[in-house]
Amino acid sequence: MKNIRNFCIIAHIDHGKSTLADRLLERTGTVTGKDMEAQVLDDMELERERGITIKSHAIQMNHREGGQDYVLNLIDTPGHVDFSYEVSRSIAACEGALLIVDASQGIQAQTISNLYMAIDNDLEIIPVINKCDLESAKPDEVEDQIVELLGCEREDIIRASGKTGMGIDDVLHAIVERVPAPKGDPDAPLQALIFDSVFNPFRGIIAYFKIENGRMRTDDFVKFVSTGKEYHADEIGVLKLDMDPRPELSAGNVGYIISGIKSSKEVKVGDTITHVDRPCEKAIDGFEEVKPMVFAGVYPIETEDFENLRASLEKLQLNDASLTFQPESSAALGFGFRCGFLGLLHMEIVQERLGREFNMDVITTVPNVSYKVFDKKGNVYEVHNPSGLPDITLIDHIEEPYIRATVITQSDYIGPIMTLCLGKRGELVKQEYISGNRMEITFDMPLGEIVIDFYDKLKSISKGYASFDYHLHDFRESKLVKLDILLNGESVDALSTLTHADNAVRFGRRMCEKLKELIPRQQFDIAIQAAIGAKIIARETIKAVRKDVTAKCYGGDISRKRKLLEKQKAGKKRMKQIGSVEVPQKAFLAVLKLD
């Protein structure tokens, strides 16, 4: 056990984690020949296309140093703020972390928040400056930033390059020397923490675990503590590029278990595995329950696909524990699910994965956050979507969630970033220089304002330099109104939103204009209206497609033409009473990109 090292790689987006992991796998001979490709651990098609890591990936390497053989368990983690739950789970399965900082960009917001997460779990931090081969690299300046942030010695910082392979041996040496071996007793009762799971259509559910105490053998009779279910361990093993079966795993090891579990409800990430005949006294503290930030309705395009969608979401939830969902119904869209996501990118990825991995075509409604509604009798409700709002006459006041947001940027972009944040009803808490011309600005902002397009705008006004991180701070009273969109006088519940009273008129007007472009013309006039309660605040009309009925009347009396037009008008009126307006999927998405 003293020769096992468990470590993860944490960093901001695009600081070169996966490339550095490639070099480690190459140097230790884990991946060779034709298996070697760029970002070897990003095995999802979506990850390769977008160039981001979405899932944390575990892999085992064997390394020989100083005449000893070491087993290194590496977990590569995502860098985007929307996937920070993946990072927290990976950190729980490790004793050390490589903190990677880009030599040209320096420390960014996500670097700091991931670092604090690692320090809270008492991990040994090994700082690495990556991309030192770039012409724009400023390793000395970045070293100053790391020393200031971590309070470590300069000689502890390793300079490396994932592209050229410089400094990789130093990184391996540091992992062996500085990361502590796992603590645990191989002879104690079995205690293993599940940190991830995947669904395999042939083998059922495969759970990944780290053994804290005890040992597990193939064919052991094991129990999952929180669900109380018992299974035979049909196969256990370690994670190489593919799964590598082993007869026995002992404390400190990271591995997988296949026990023919068919139902996804039976495996919970953060659960403890123990033996049936010699159980451990208490379960390991799992992870804190994840709090979704953004809620949106996900509906199947064909109503009969509802059960398939449920099965797909359950299988996806195994692999992405931060996704939450519950059934709901909508007048416009039928039956579907109210899903909770950690952010907009997370929502986009889930939608894309449903399409690719499960062939599900879905419609997603306008995303919103959860509000606390206080009625006049003093009761409190938590409301996730506007249609769940009680009658306006019964509401005393509404509280909305505020976040504490940290933006790290170069001082050249302070002006536009301040304007953006204040325009989103933000309140400046503090600003301070970190080093050189880099500043950290802290704002309190309503979560509902940043849900839709804040991140994209921040990136474009700062030319990609500003980095952003946030956590839920508190709930505050706000003047919110429910904005309804009516088509021919009928409310489309999937398009209604809760918005601040000051923004409502502008938002309603822009929404009507956008829908006018997107809804195809029908045989009758369509009135698109935005309303707050009974008051209409904006209107657009889509004109009917009309046939030129007077074409055959050339010359002659005007009354003949009028007769034909009146006849057409009556037909259109009758059609309007029975006709229904189809809202295309593009219209639901367009609301997100109103600017």
Side-chain angles (χ1 to χ4, degrees):
M1 199 168 131
K2 67 179 195 300
N3 285 5
I4 297 177
R5 301 284 182 270
N6 299 322
F7 68 99
C8 59
I9 301 183
I10 55 177
H12 189 76
I13 316 157
D14 267 354
H15 280 202
K17 299 175 288 298
S18 303
T19 313
L20 198 84
D22 288 354
R23 294 294 84 77
L24 293 172
L25 296 174
E26 202 172 39
R27 191 57 55 91
T28 54
T30 311
V31 181
T32 51
K34 66 177 191 305
D35 292 333
M36 191 65 226
E37 53 183 348
Q39 278 87 30
V40 102
L41 294 178
D42 290 353
D43 51 10
M44 221 189 294
E45 200 181 309
L46 203 55
E47 294 180 313
R48 298 190 156 279
E49 272 175 30
R50 292 178 173 238
I52 55 175
T53 305
I54 294 167
K55 285 288 306 155
S56 48
H57 298 270
I59 191 163
Q60 191 177 86
M61 309 183 282
N62 296 72
H63 175 58
R64 189 169 178 80
E65 180 155 324
Q68 298 246 16
D69 285 324
Y70 290 92
V71 172
L72 312 180
N73 288 311
L74 150 74
I75 303 182
D76 178 28
T77 65
H80 197 283
V81 61
D82 279 11
F83 304 113
S84 52
Y85 188 61
E86 286 285 325
V87 182
S88 71
R89 287 165 22 203
S90 309
I91 284 175
C94 297
E95 281 82 35
L98 292 181
L99 178 74
I100 302 211
V101 184
D102 186 322
S104 59
Q105 294 188 8
I107 285 173
Q108 309 256 294
Q110 202 54 32
T111 317
I112 297 176
S113 73
N114 285 344
L115 171 71
Y116 287 156
M117 222 187 289
I119 290 174
D120 287 345
N121 284 353
D122 298 331
L123 298 200
E124 176 65 37
I125 311 283
I126 302 174
V128 178
I129 301 180
N130 195 18
K131 305 193 186 180
C132 286
D133 58 316
L134 291 181
E135 285 179 13
S136 58
K138 309 181 288 256
D140 296 334
E141 200 176 303
V142 176
E143 237 174 49
D144 295 339
Q145 293 173 18
I146 294 175
V147 169
E148 201 171 315
L149 181 68
L150 273 178
C152 60
E153 300 297 320
R154 273 183 182 279
E155 46 273 16
D156 291 347
I157 302 172
I158 301 167
R159 295 190 182 190
S161 160
K163 196 169 169 189
T164 62
M166 148 191 171
I168 296 299
D169 290 329
D170 301 339
V171 172
L172 285 165
H173 179 71
I175 291 165
V176 168
E177 290 295 315
R178 284 150 63 178
V179 175
K183 301 178 186 66
D185 178 1
D187 302 319
L190 173 68
Q191 235 186 351
L193 175 73
I194 300 178
F195 66 88
D196 204 356
S197 55
V198 292
F199 178 79
N200 181 314
F202 306 108
R203 321 265 332 241
I205 289 159
I206 303 169
Y208 297 160
F209 59 81
K210 178 195 178 188
I211 302 183
E212 299 281 345
N213 290 307
R215 57 187 73 222
M216 193 190 291
R217 295 178 184 84
T218 307
D219 281 337
D220 273 358
F221 198 32
V222 296
K223 176 170 116 178
F224 286 28
V225 176
S226 81
T227 57
K229 301 268 184 169
E230 299 173 357
Y231 308 98
H232 278 286
D234 300 338
E235 182 185 306
I236 61 168
V238 295
L239 299 153
K240 296 276 182 149
L241 244 192
D242 298 309
M243 292 183 284
D244 185 0
R246 297 285 164 91
E248 175 181 293
L249 291 174
S250 65
N253 258 306
V254 174
Y256 69 90
I257 175 171
I258 300 176
S259 48
I261 305 172
K262 292 288 181 284
S263 160
S264 53
K265 291 191 181 67
E266 295 173 27
V267 178
K268 278 200 169 76
V269 167
D271 196 0
T272 305
I273 307 176
T274 187
H275 280 132
V276 172
D277 51 1
R278 191 181 163 213
C280 56
E281 287 172 15
K282 67 177 185 31
I284 305 166
D285 293 336
F287 315 100
E288 55 193 76
E289 279 295 305
V290 59
K291 294 184 195 68
M293 294 284 190
V294 176
F295 295 87
V298 173
Y299 294 84
I301 287 180
E302 300 298 332
T303 331
E304 56 267 24
D305 286 341
F306 176 72
E307 282 305 324
N308 294 350
L309 180 61
R310 183 197 294 272
S312 305
L313 282 169
E314 282 177 359
K315 287 170 187 169
L316 194 59
Q317 195 179 32
L318 279 175
N319 199 235
D320 180 355
S322 49
L323 171 70
T324 57
F325 62 91
Q326 63 202 52
E328 71 163 4
S329 65
S330 143
L333 301 168
F335 290 103
F337 293 92
R338 189 96 202 136
C339 296
F341 306 98
L342 295 184
L344 264 195
L345 178 71
H346 186 211
M347 175 174 129
E348 211 176 301
I349 296 292
V350 166
Q351 205 176 339
E352 191 106 336
R353 284 182 71 183
L354 280 172
R356 289 188 186 204
E357 294 171 30
F358 306 102
N359 294 325
M360 290 300 309
D361 282 336
V362 293
I363 291 179
T364 315
T365 63
V366 183
N368 47 39
V369 297
S370 59
Y371 298 92
K372 283 185 181 167
V373 178
F374 293 78
D375 67 10
K376 290 181 176 165
K377 293 177 183 165
N379 301 328
V380 186
Y381 309 96
E382 192 165 284
V383 174
H384 295 317
N385 67 343
S387 59
L389 216 59
D391 191 83
I392 198 92
T393 52
L394 304 175
I395 297 175
D396 182 47
H397 66 275
I398 303 177
E399 289 188 354
E400 66 175 330
Y402 265 69
I403 54 163
R404 176 62 58 90
T406 310
V407 178
I408 294 182
T409 175
Q410 295 184 344
S411 47
D412 322 354
Y413 306 116
I414 292 282
I417 288 175
M418 289 271 200
T419 312
L420 174 69
C421 294
L422 297 172
K424 297 276 186 190
R425 298 191 284 130
E427 296 166 14
L428 182 66
V429 178
K430 62 171 187 191
Q431 58 183 57
E432 55 189 8
Y433 276 96
I434 308 178
S435 64
N437 70 339
R438 291 158 59 78
M439 286 195 77
E440 180 178 20
I441 319 171
T442 309
F443 278 95
D444 280 351
M445 297 170 76
L447 180 60
E449 291 280 344
I450 70 153
V451 158
I452 293 187
D453 54 2
F454 177 77
Y455 194 73
D456 300 345
K457 283 187 180 169
L458 180 72
K459 282 289 175 205
S460 49
I461 59 178
S462 66
K463 301 194 171 65
Y465 274 112
S467 56
F468 171 66
D469 183 48
Y470 62 89
H471 57 266
L472 204 59
H473 190 52
D474 58 2
F475 278 80
R476 300 185 192 177
E477 191 176 328
S478 256
K479 196 170 145 201
L480 298 167
V481 290
K482 181 183 172 193
L483 181 73
D484 286 314
I485 298 293
L486 312 174
L487 292 181
N488 279 346
E490 298 218 353
S491 167
V492 182
D493 58 353
L495 288 173
S496 30
T497 47
L498 269 178
T499 179
H500 196 266
D502 300 347
N503 303 341
V505 176
R506 195 177 77 241
F507 187 63
R509 194 167 292 148
R510 289 202 339 246
M511 217 146 148
C512 289
E513 286 164 7
K514 195 76 183 170
L515 287 172
K516 183 180 178 181
E517 289 169 26
L518 292 166
I519 293 177
R521 287 171 72 183
Q522 311 279 343
Q523 294 289 335
F524 49 89
D525 281 3
I526 303 171
I528 304 171
Q529 294 165 309
I532 296 174
K535 183 182 169 196
I536 304 291
I537 54 170
R539 169 178 172 135
E540 294 285 335
T541 309
I542 300 176
K543 284 294 178 196
V545 181
R546 287 177 53 189
K547 183 179 167 189
D548 187 0
V549 286
T550 58
K552 58 186 178 207
C553 293
Y554 40 90
D557 190 358
I558 184 71
S559 58
R560 287 176 62 202
K561 288 186 180 175
R562 186 158 296 139
K563 184 178 159 195
L564 287 167
L565 287 168
E566 289 298 328
K567 189 175 164 193
Q568 183 188 34
K569 193 172 163 187
K572 297 277 183 205
K573 192 174 176 185
R574 198 166 57 246
M575 200 182 275
K576 185 172 184 170
Q577 287 163 354
I578 56 165
S580 66
V581 184
E582 285 286 311
V583 183
Q585 161 73 358
K586 276 196 301 218
F588 294 108
L589 296 177
V591 180
L592 312 186
K593 305 191 171 72
L594 266 181
D595 283 344

